[in-house]
Amino acid sequence: MADSGLLLKRGSCRSTWLRARKARPQLILSRRPRRRLGTLRWCGRRRLRRRLLQAQAAGVDWREGARQVSRAAAAGRPKTATPSPIPSPTPASEPESEFESASSCRRPLLIPPVRPVGPGRALLLLPVEQGFTFSGICRVTCLYGQVQVFGFTISQGQPARDIFSVYTHSCLSIHALHYSLPEKSKKELKREARNLLKSHLNLDDRRWSMQNFSLQCSIVLLEHLKTASVNFITSYPGSSYIFVQESPTPQIKPEYLALRSVGIRKEKKRKGLQLTESTLSALEELVSVSCEEVDGCPVILVCGSQDVGKSTFNRYLINQLLNSLPCVDYLECDLGQTEFTPPGCISLLNITEPVLGPPFTHLRTPQKMVYYGKPSCKNNYENYIDIIKYVFSAYKRESPLIVNTMGWVSDQGLLLLIDLIRLLSPSHVVQFRCDHSKYMPDLTSQYVDDMDGLYTKSKTKMRNRRFRLAAFADALEFADEEKESPVEFTGHKLIGVYTDFTYRITPRNRESHNKILRDLTILSYLSQLQPPMPKPLSPLHSLTPYQVPFNAVALRITHSDVAPTHILYAVNASWVGLCKIQDDVRGYTNGPILLAQTPICDCLGFGICRGIDMEKRLYHILTPVPPEELRTVNCLLVGAIAIPHCVLKCQRGIEGTVPYVTTDYNFKIPGASEKIGAREPEEAHKEKPYRRPKFCRKMK
C-alpha cells in the first residue's frame, strides 16, 4: 500500500511537470521555480500557474509582477470563485496622448511606485483613494493633484510640509484625494502637468512620471528632513530611534532603498491611524458647525479617560478646521501631556499651521500661559480652577475654541470636570469611550445641571437657596464686565465617540511612558538654543547664559515648602519658569527675594538655572526667550518638572566629574524623594550606588 501511494504521488508530479514543461516558452521558468513546483501540492501548483499566466498577460516579468497581479486578482473576486479566463490582447490604435496610454494600456497602480530623483529625494505616485503608510520623518510637496495627511489637505502649489511619523505614536499616511479637473483637452492637461514638474524634476523623471501617470493621480515629492530640533533630540543616547527606525531585515528592493535615502520606511496599512465611524461623524459635525456658525464661534470641550485618543482627535480636528478656516484657538487644560508647550502649563494658543506629528515636534508660542509647576493638579484644585479662569479670560471669541482636558475622570476628577463645563460653557462636549476605559457617565446638559461640582452647585440647589445668576457669577469671581452681564448656562450638545485601537499602555508602564514624552518635549524646547542648520550642534554647557541679579527677580518654589536657607539649592540646576508679576521687586537692595505665595501670572518661557554666583549675587540662566521679552521678567518659578536626566549625564566635552551628577545623595532632605514633602524610612537613608533611570533603559 505504501509503495502504491508513492507511485501515485510520483505520477501526479510527473504529469504536472510535463504540463509545466510544455508551457515553458511562455512562462520562462528557471531551475529554482521548477524545483519549487515539484514540492507544491496540486492546489498550490494550480495557483502558481494561474499567477504566471496572469503576469504574462499583463506584459510584465513574472519574477517582479506575479505577486502584485495575484493580489489584484484575489482582491477583485471571492476566494471560492473560479478563475476567470484571461482575454487575449487585441491590437489597439495609437493613443492620442500619454494620458490615454496610461489609462487604457496600463493596469491600475496597485502599489504606489517610488522612484529616486536625487540624493535624499524620491517621487511617489498615488492613484486616487489609495494611501501610503510610512514611519520616519520627511518633507512632503504635492507637485500635482491633492493629498491628505492627518486630516490636512495639501494641494499643488502649496508650500512643503514637514511630517513626523514617529515611533511613539501611530504611523501617518498620505492619501490621494479626488480633485476637480478643468475643462481642457488632454494635450492642455499634459502640458500643464509637465510645466508643474519642470521646476522639480529632470527630463528622465518627468518622462517616467508621464508613463505611469493617469487621470486623478497625485504626484508627491518626498525629501529628506533635518532640523536643529531633530538633530538635538537624536544626539542623546536612547532618543535616536524616535524619528527613524532601522529595518530588522535590510532589503535590496529599489523602493526600499529610495525611501531609506529620504529617511522613511513603508509600513503596513494596519499600523496607520484608523478612525472609527463615530470619530468621523463627530469630526464632520464639528467642522460643519464651525464653518457655518453665524451667531458666534463654537467652544468644543473634549473629555474622556486616559489613553482613549483625545489628543489625536484634537490634532485631526485642528487640521480639518484649518482646511477651511484661517486659525483655530486651543485651550490647554491638561498639565501632564501638553500639546504645544512644555509640561505643567495652562495656555491659550492661536493655531494657524497644521500639526503633523506628536507634541514634541510642533511647540508654539502661546498667547497667554501660566506655569502651574506640576504634571497633576491633585491637592490643589482651587489654584487650578483660578488659573484656567485667568487664561480663558484672554479668549476673544473670534475663532472656534478647542478645550483639551485631563484624563482623570473619576471621583474628584469628574467633579472638577463638571466645574470646567460650567465655567467655560461649551457649545459641544465630545466624550470619548473605549473598551479599556473606566466607566464615565454621560455628561449631558441635564446631568451637569443636576450634579454638584467641587466648587459649584447644581441648579436645583441654587433654586432652593434662591441664588441668583449674578450671585453665582460673583462666587466664580468673573471679571467686572461679566458680572454686569453674567453668562447664562444654556446647555451643550453631547457627542459620543467610541474608539477602538490596539492598547499598548498599561497602568504599570503609563507613568514611565508619559515621563518619556515629557522629556522629549523639554528637549524639543531646549533645541531652540541651537544654531540654525547646517551649523553643527553646540553642547548646552558651551552656550553663554544670561546674568540675572538677585534683586531683579523674585523666587518661589511652587510644589513644596522649602526652608529659606535651602531655597538656592532648590533653584540651582533646575527647570525654571520665567514669569512676569504685577508687583515691583526692584526696591529690594539685597537678595534673594522670596515670595510667600505662588502668584497667578503670565509665563513668558522657560530656562535652566546653570549656576549661582554667590559672590556677585547673580543667577546664570540659559533660555531661548528673546532679550526683548526677558526685560519684563521679574519672577522665577520652580516646580516639579525636572530637567531630563540625559541632559545632565550625557554632556559632550566634559572630562572628569560631570557637573550636578553625584552618587552621594541625601534622602533625608524634604523633597529629595519622589513623594513630595515626605521622608524616606531609615533603611532608605543609607548610601546607594547610582543607577540608571528606568526610562533610559527602556528607550535603548
Side-chain angles (χ1 to χ4, degrees), residues 188-233:
E188 292 176 346
L189 291 176
K190 177 181 177 181
R191 188 182 304 110
E192 179 183 353
R194 283 184 172 178
N195 292 334
L196 291 174
L197 301 180
K198 188 175 297 183
S199 59
H200 300 276
L201 306 176
N202 57 27
L203 181 59
D204 293 338
D205 297 331
R206 293 199 302 270
R207 288 177 177 174
W208 178 85
S209 302
M210 291 295 101
Q211 290 175 358
N212 296 275
F213 186 76
S214 61
L215 294 180
Q216 293 292 336
C217 178
S218 298
I219 303 178
V220 180
L221 179 63
L222 308 176
E223 296 178 283
H224 185 72
L225 175 63
K226 272 296 183 180
T227 62
S229 176
V230 172
N231 291 346
F232 182 77
I233 294 177

Side-chain angles (χ1 to χ4, degrees), residues 466-488:
R466 296 180 181 179
F467 282 172
R468 295 182 179 180
L469 190 59
F472 180 60
D474 292 336
L476 282 177
E477 299 179 1
F478 285 117
D480 295 337
E481 61 273 8
E482 292 178 349
K483 291 181 181 179
E484 297 177 359
S485 58
V487 178
E488 294 186 5

Side-chain angles (χ1 to χ4, degrees), residues 482-521:
E482 292 178 349
K483 291 181 181 179
E484 297 177 359
S485 58
V487 178
E488 294 186 5
F489 301 100
T490 57
H492 59 266
K493 181 178 181 180
L494 179 64
I495 301 177
V497 174
Y498 176 79
T499 58
D500 184 16
F501 54 89
T502 304
Y503 187 53
R504 296 179 296 178
I505 303 176
T506 62
R508 191 172 183 179
N509 64 1
R510 177 181 291 115
E511 184 58 33
S512 60
H513 178 81
N514 294 341
K515 190 178 187 305
I516 291 174
L517 297 180
R518 289 195 291 268
D519 290 345
L520 289 174
T521 304

Side-chain angles (χ1 to χ4, degrees), residues 248-260:
T249 55
Q251 306 176 16
I252 314 298
K253 296 181 179 179
E255 177 184 353
Y256 172 81
L257 297 178
L259 296 177
R260 184 178 181 181

Side-chain angles (χ1 to χ4, degrees), residues 425-440:
S425 187
S427 59
H428 297 77
V429 173
V430 183
Q431 184 174 352
F432 276 77
R433 292 182 180 85
C434 192
D435 291 337
H436 62 266
S437 61
K438 297 181 180 179
Y439 170 75
M440 183 180 177

Side-chain angles (χ1 to χ4, degrees), residues 414-601:
L414 179 60
L415 303 180
L416 193 62
L417 180 59
I418 293 176
D419 286 339
L420 285 182
I421 295 176
R422 288 195 179 127
L423 172 64
L424 304 178
S425 187
S427 59
H428 297 77
V429 173
V430 183
Q431 184 174 352
F432 276 77
R433 292 182 180 85
C434 192
D435 291 337
H436 62 266
S437 61
K438 297 181 180 179
Y439 170 75
M440 183 180 177
D442 293 339
L443 297 179
T444 60
S445 180
Q446 184 66 31
Y447 180 85
V448 174
D449 290 341
D450 297 339
M451 288 293 296
D452 292 339
L454 281 179
Y455 302 101
T456 59
K457 300 297 182 181
S458 63
K459 283 189 175 181
T460 305
K461 292 187 177 181
M462 289 177 61
R463 293 193 194 99
N464 295 338
R465 297 182 182 182
R466 296 180 181 179
F467 282 172
R468 295 182 179 180
L469 190 59
F472 180 60
D474 292 336
L476 282 177
E477 299 179 1
F478 285 117
D480 295 337
E481 61 273 8
E482 292 178 349
K483 291 181 181 179
E484 297 177 359
S485 58
V487 178
E488 294 186 5
F489 301 100
T490 57
H492 59 266
K493 181 178 181 180
L494 179 64
I495 301 177
V497 174
Y498 176 79
T499 58
D500 184 16
F501 54 89
T502 304
Y503 187 53
R504 296 179 296 178
I505 303 176
T506 62
R508 191 172 183 179
N509 64 1
R510 177 181 291 115
E511 184 58 33
S512 60
H513 178 81
N514 294 341
K515 190 178 187 305
I516 291 174
L517 297 180
R518 289 195 291 268
D519 290 345
L520 289 174
T521 304
I522 295 178
L523 289 178
S524 178
Y525 186 85
L526 292 176
S527 66
Q528 301 177 28
L529 293 166
Q530 298 298 320
M533 295 289 291
K535 295 183 179 180
L537 294 176
S538 300
L540 295 182
H541 62 81
S542 66
L543 303 177
T544 304
Y546 293 97
Q547 295 181 353
V548 183
F550 279 4
N551 58 359
V553 293
L555 294 180
R556 176 63 182 172
I557 308 297
T558 63
H559 64 289
S560 180
D561 294 329
V562 181
T565 55
H566 293 82
I567 197 76
L568 294 181
Y569 290 102
V571 175
N572 193 21
S574 295
W575 180 258
V576 296
L578 310 178
C579 305
K580 180 177 62 176
I581 59 178
Q582 299 296 331
D583 300 334
D584 190 6
V585 299
R586 296 181 181 180
Y588 297 90
T589 56
N590 297 325
I593 303 171
L594 306 181
L595 298 177
Q597 295 180 350
T598 302
I600 298 179
C601 56

Side-chain angles (χ1 to χ4, degrees), residues 218-438:
S218 298
I219 303 178
V220 180
L221 179 63
L222 308 176
E223 296 178 283
H224 185 72
L225 175 63
K226 272 296 183 180
T227 62
S229 176
V230 172
N231 291 346
F232 182 77
I233 294 177
T234 55
S235 64
Y236 288 98
S239 301
S240 58
Y241 76 102
I242 293 294
F243 296 105
V244 181
Q245 297 86 45
E246 291 294 336
S247 176
T249 55
Q251 306 176 16
I252 314 298
K253 296 181 179 179
E255 177 184 353
Y256 172 81
L257 297 178
L259 296 177
R260 184 178 181 181
S261 65
V262 176
I264 62 176
R265 187 179 67 185
K266 185 180 178 181
E267 300 289 352
K268 296 181 179 179
K269 184 179 179 180
R270 58 181 176 83
K271 290 188 177 182
L273 180 64
Q274 306 292 335
L275 300 179
T276 59
E277 294 184 2
S278 60
T279 304
L280 295 174
S281 176
L283 289 169
E284 183 179 359
E285 180 178 355
L286 294 174
V287 171
S288 176
V289 170
S290 301
C291 297
E292 299 176 359
E293 190 78 17
V294 179
D295 299 333
C297 298
V299 177
I300 305 167
L301 187 141
V302 182
C303 61
S305 59
Q306 294 178 330
D307 307 319
V308 294
K310 299 190 301 296
S311 299
T312 303
F313 179 84
N314 290 336
R315 299 185 201 114
Y316 204 96
L317 178 59
I318 290 174
N319 293 336
Q320 288 271 290
L321 292 175
L322 290 179
N323 290 330
S324 306
L325 301 176
C327 60
V328 180
D329 286 336
Y330 187 87
L331 178 61
E332 182 62 80
C333 298
D334 189 357
L335 297 169
Q337 302 300 324
T338 52
E339 186 69 32
F340 300 100
T341 63
C345 297
I346 297 174
S347 58
L348 177 68
L349 301 99
N350 186 260
I351 310 301
T352 58
E353 296 293 331
V355 286
L356 303 175
F360 55 87
T361 61
H362 51 246
L363 297 185
R364 309 286 170 84
T365 302
Q367 288 181 335
K368 201 175 192 64
M369 177 174 61
V370 175
Y371 184 47
Y372 185 83
K374 292 190 296 184
S376 175
C377 67
K378 291 184 178 180
N379 304 324
N380 198 359
Y381 311 115
E382 188 174 359
N383 189 31
Y384 175 75
I385 290 290
D386 292 339
I387 293 176
I388 291 180
K389 287 190 291 186
Y390 176 76
V391 175
F392 181 66
S393 63
Y395 176 52
K396 300 179 181 179
R397 300 183 183 274
E398 296 178 351
S399 58
L401 176 66
I402 300 175
V403 182
N404 185 36
T405 60
M406 299 181 296
W408 181 34
V409 293
S410 60
D411 303 330
Q412 292 179 326
L414 179 60
L415 303 180
L416 193 62
L417 180 59
I418 293 176
D419 286 339
L420 285 182
I421 295 176
R422 288 195 179 127
L423 172 64
L424 304 178
S425 187
S427 59
H428 297 77
V429 173
V430 183
Q431 184 174 352
F432 276 77
R433 292 182 180 85
C434 192
D435 291 337
H436 62 266
S437 61
K438 297 181 180 179

